[in-house]
Amino acid sequence: SMNATCLKGRDFEVPMCGTVYLTSHDEDLPKVYEIGKEIFTYNSKKDLLEKIKFLLSKPELCEKLRIASREKCLKEHTWEKRFDDVFRFVEIMS
């Protein structure tokens, strides 16, 4: 079955570019990423500031995050993969 989400294009485009992704928390993000291992999220302005300071102080972690999130996107979140999922779902429904 397909898992519909309300995620945005940038939730995949930014990590696909090989950058560290820090974004506002969305309940659907843990369905596609390991928070803290592939991306980081924040819940408030204070939390955002703390996460920025933390990430800036941890370049090795940032390197692991950007590699892990890009690999996840290349493996599971390309347009080709999405269309394959849709076509499989439509085939099941017909």
Side-chain angles (χ1 to χ4, degrees):
S1 71
M2 289 186 59
N3 294 325
T5 67
C6 294
L7 297 176
K8 298 164 188 64
R10 70 175 172 256
D11 294 325
F12 303 101
E13 294 159 354
V14 173
M16 188 70 82
C17 290
T19 61
V20 174
Y21 191 43
L22 171 61
T23 188
S24 56
H25 183 75
D26 182 298
E27 65 186 32
D28 287 330
L29 282 167
K31 294 177 184 177
V32 293
Y33 293 110
E34 288 187 63
I35 308 301
K37 291 189 177 183
E38 294 170 333
I39 68 168
F40 265 75
T41 63
Y42 63 89
N43 294 302
S44 66
K45 288 181 182 179
K46 182 179 184 223
D47 187 31
L48 172 61
L49 185 58
E50 289 172 0
K51 296 273 173 62
I52 290 170
K53 288 178 180 178
F54 174 76
L55 290 168
L56 287 173
S57 73
K58 304 281 184 191
E60 302 86 10
L61 174 62
C62 288
E63 184 70 8
K64 289 179 184 176
L65 284 170
R66 66 173 206 83
I67 291 169
S69 63
R70 184 164 192 272
E71 286 178 355
K72 172 69 75 75
C73 284
L74 288 171
K75 181 179 173 189
E76 298 180 16
H77 304 304
T78 62
W79 280 112
E80 182 179 21
K81 173 79 172 105
R82 287 284 173 255
F83 281 118
D84 282 347
D85 292 344
V86 169
F87 293 145
R88 234 178 286 116
F89 179 73
V90 170
E91 197 172 274
I92 291 169
M93 297 299 293
S94 56

